[in-house]
Amino acid sequence: SYELTQPPSVSVSPGQTARITCSGDALPKKYAYWYQQRSGQAPVLVIYEDTKRPSGIPERFSGSSSGTKTTLTISGAQVEDEADYYCYSTDSGGDHNVFGGGTKLTVL
Amino acid sequence: QVQLVQSGSELKKPGASVRVSCKASGYNFPTYGVAWVRRAPGQGLQWMGWINTDTGNPTYAQGFTGRFVFSLDTSVSTAFLQISSLKAQDTALYYCARMVFASDYFDYWGQGTLVTVSS
């Protein structure tokens, strides 16, 4: 089955840039999406179609993609950005939708 | 505004069944799918599958066939997740989410329903 691989954790100080990566064989052909899940809350879409930011999401959130890796970048991370982040995509056939294992972002 | 409101927490015994509802409002229900996502304790998000709200056709992810059933009541813009023969391992938060056709991603989520399976 298809897998997306993320680092389990990333830690930065407030104001620093946080980068969370997601690797998958089909990412050169398929869009990736990023979800933020704060403790006790439902997930929120923060990046769609690799690089696009939904309305209401702060400009410090951005996405990029190169080859089999996609990256969520939070420029000037804030304490309120502390959350679990998940990438999401599908395999090359479009048959298996999957989430990455999630990355816990700590900002302190 | 778009809202997905789920039913409340459930406590069930092993072997029982549970049905979780997800009522949509603020948009034309048949124009977006409804997906189901699980988050078990200590684990990440897991895609369970989705239901096409236009045709009623469900698609189940690997590991969610047999005991899991997606259904609809389009007259009240509501989707349902039924789980039968519950096991302790089914204890989790279950989320519904609005799914964008063709792109297969979720733009709005319900608040989650906690299902606890315990004797």
Side-chain angles (χ1 to χ4, degrees):
Chain A
S1 61
Y2 186 53
E3 291 186 357
L4 296 172
T5 302
Q6 298 180 233
S9 63
V10 168
S11 184
V12 298
S13 299
Q16 287 188 327
T17 295
R19 292 182 180 86
I20 300 172
T21 59
C22 172
S23 298
D25 289 342
L27 290 177
K29 305 173 190 173
K30 296 295 184 181
Y31 284 129
Y33 304 83
W34 288 95
Y35 293 90
Q36 174 195 68
Q37 187 173 30
R38 293 189 176 111
S39 180
Q41 297 186 20
V44 172
L45 179 69
V46 294
I47 294 290
Y48 68 103
E49 294 180 355
D50 290 346
T51 61
K52 298 175 183 176
R53 194 174 53 248
S55 62
I57 299 302
E59 290 185 9
R60 63 180 180 271
F61 288 86
S62 64
S64 61
S65 186
S66 178
T68 59
K69 188 167 74 175
T70 189
T71 303
L72 172 68
T73 300
I74 307 171
S75 303
Q78 307 295 308
V79 172
E80 61 263 32
D81 299 331
E82 200 164 270
D84 294 324
Y85 290 85
Y86 296 88
C87 61
Y88 167 82
S89 186
T90 186
D91 68 356
S92 55
D95 298 321
H96 300 289
N97 297 19
V98 293
F99 287 96
T103 298
K104 183 175 182 60
L105 175 65
T106 302
V107 183
L108 54 75
Chain B
Q1 73 282 23
V2 174
Q3 280 193 305
L4 298 171
V5 179
Q6 298 183 225
S7 49
S9 298
E10 301 270 8
L11 173 61
K12 296 290 185 180
K13 294 189 183 304
S17 296
V18 69
R19 191 173 82 156
V20 176
S21 66
C22 171
K23 182 170 177 58
S25 61
Y27 69 97
N28 188 9
F29 189 64
T31 60
Y32 293 84
V34 173
W36 292 93
V37 176
R38 182 171 81 176
R39 185 165 188 184
Q43 297 188 25
L45 299 176
Q46 193 174 12
W47 156 258
M48 298 175 65
W50 72 289
I51 186 164
N52 186 318
T53 50
D54 185 35
T55 64
N57 183 49
T59 299
Y60 300 97
Q62 288 179 348
F64 294 100
T65 56
R67 298 188 300 116
F68 299 83
V69 176
F70 307 147
S71 61
L72 301 169
D73 184 344
T74 55
S75 69
V76 289
S77 300
T78 300
F80 300 95
L81 163 66
Q82 180 153 337
I83 311 171
S84 58
S85 302
L86 283 163
K87 308 173 183 180
Q89 306 94 293
D90 295 322
T91 294
L93 263 169
Y94 291 85
Y95 294 98
C96 65
R98 190 177 83 162
M99 185 163 169
V100 178
F101 284 146
S103 299
D104 284 4
Y105 73 98
F106 331 112
D107 58 355
Y108 289 90
W109 294 67
Q111 82 277 19
T113 296
L114 177 63
V115 174
T116 304
V117 184
S118 174
S119 54

